[in-house]
Amino acid sequence: MILCMDVGNTNIKYAIFDGNKLVLSFRVATEHKKTSDEYGGQLISILGNNKISANAIQGGIISSVVPQLDYTLERMCHTYLKINPLLLAPGIKTGLNLKVDNAKEVGADRVVNNVAAVKKYGVPLIIVDFGTATTFNVIDAKSEFIGGVIAPGIKGSLDSLVNGTAKLPRVEIERPSNVIGKNTVTNMQSGIVFGFAGLVEYIVKKIKRELKCDNVTTVATGGFSEVIAKEVTCIDHVDKLLTLEGLKYLYDLNSTEA
């Protein structure tokens, strides 16, 4: 079994693969002050609840955009799983050609999503990731990552709205029945859901125009991908496991047994 970890600013997503079969996936909150023992105890507890032995984990890979947690999570893997995980960093084989100004600036999560999407869906591609930020990755017909867009994230935008005002409440991010809200809650839900749907539709349209190609597959992933995908015409596939499947592919590509 192989452990894959996608460490984001808001959540850490875990997946356990037995061969190519996903047997468990879950997420926990990203907490910068948590120790390797705290993360380890949490992981062992969840594995035990799902009847998976820590001894069955034979390897692992970590993609992280939170550098201060890299050592903590590597140590957790050493201590609790007795494995030395691969860390997605410069030098690891990805098979992806980065045609951008500075390849070192490209987040590990974007690299993984790009690799996985090319493998699963072919090219050209637009990958929209609804995470802490909303990112658009563009893969051209030569399978090259040529850049993209970083926009505010849905949850962060809502948090900013609530924290910056005295009377607006915290609301669930879900589609209201009408765009014209009749109360504060539905006003806010309309602005978030339909506002981001408009953002996605317009940016994807602009990307296709710059590529001079309408036949571009658009894949959405991340926590709010399903909510937004229902409101737009430009998303062809919703794939919430894209990053974790990409990590498993990169582990196989870089393992000594591959």
Side-chain angles (χ1 to χ4, degrees):
M1 290 188 180
I2 302 302
L3 171 70
C4 298
M5 297 176 62
D6 174 32
V7 185
N9 290 293
T10 304
N11 293 307
I12 301 175
K13 290 174 280 188
Y14 291 81
I16 307 293
F17 287 89
D18 187 356
N20 289 321
K21 180 182 179 183
L22 177 67
V23 294
L24 177 65
S25 67
F26 58 93
R27 66 177 60 202
V28 302
T30 302
E31 298 182 47
H32 295 192
K33 294 183 179 180
K34 191 177 280 188
T35 67
S36 59
D37 292 323
E38 288 173 310
Y39 275 114
Q42 185 182 51
L43 174 60
I44 294 300
S45 175
I46 293 172
L47 291 177
N49 289 340
N50 288 275
K51 297 181 171 55
I52 297 175
S53 169
N55 294 330
I57 309 297
Q58 299 175 331
I61 183 169
I62 300 172
S63 165
S64 174
V65 295
V66 189
Q68 56 267 49
L69 281 180
D70 291 354
Y71 175 77
T72 298
L73 295 173
E74 286 185 90
R75 182 174 175 81
M76 177 200 74
C77 290
H78 296 159
T79 304
Y80 289 89
L81 301 177
K82 312 301 181 191
I83 63 172
N84 295 315
L86 289 169
L87 184 63
L88 190 62
I92 194 170
K93 289 188 295 184
T94 65
L96 183 68
N97 194 358
L98 305 179
K99 289 289 188 178
V100 294
D101 291 342
N102 186 352
K104 293 181 180 179
E105 290 181 349
V106 181
D109 54 339
R110 300 181 80 179
V111 172
V112 176
N113 283 342
N114 292 343
V115 169
V118 169
K119 185 172 182 289
K120 291 184 71 174
Y121 300 104
V123 294
L125 272 173
I126 301 168
I127 303 104
V128 189
D129 187 356
F130 296 93
T132 304
T134 304
T135 59
F136 298 73
N137 301 334
V138 183
I139 310 292
D140 68 12
K142 299 177 182 178
S143 297
E144 296 175 340
F145 173 54
I146 59 172
V149 177
I150 300 176
I154 292 178
K155 186 176 182 301
S157 295
L158 180 59
D159 289 344
S160 177
L161 186 62
V162 172
N163 295 334
T165 55
K167 291 187 176 182
L168 293 182
R170 194 165 299 278
V171 301
E172 292 293 325
I173 299 173
E174 59 184 26
R175 184 193 192 280
S177 56
N178 298 293
V179 69
I180 302 173
K182 296 294 186 181
N183 53 59
T184 300
V185 170
T186 53
N187 270 250
M188 294 172 66
Q189 290 174 331
S190 180
I192 289 292
V193 174
F194 300 130
F196 271 87
L199 178 147
V200 169
E201 196 87 64
Y202 185 73
I203 289 179
V204 169
K205 179 181 177 181
K206 294 280 283 184
I207 290 171
K208 289 181 177 180
R209 186 177 299 165
E210 286 191 17
L211 288 175
K212 296 181 173 61
C213 180
D214 289 326
N215 189 24
V216 181
T217 302
T218 303
V219 181
T221 189
F224 297 106
S225 53
E226 291 177 326
V227 174
I228 302 302
K230 292 176 182 177
E231 304 304 321
V232 299
T233 60
C234 62
I235 292 176
D236 301 301
H237 305 280
V238 174
D239 191 339
K240 299 188 79 169
L241 294 175
L242 187 69
T243 309
L244 295 170
E245 290 177 346
L247 281 172
K248 175 58 168 60
Y249 170 73
L250 289 178
Y251 176 86
D252 291 340
L253 186 65
N254 286 271
S255 69
T256 55
E257 299 175 0

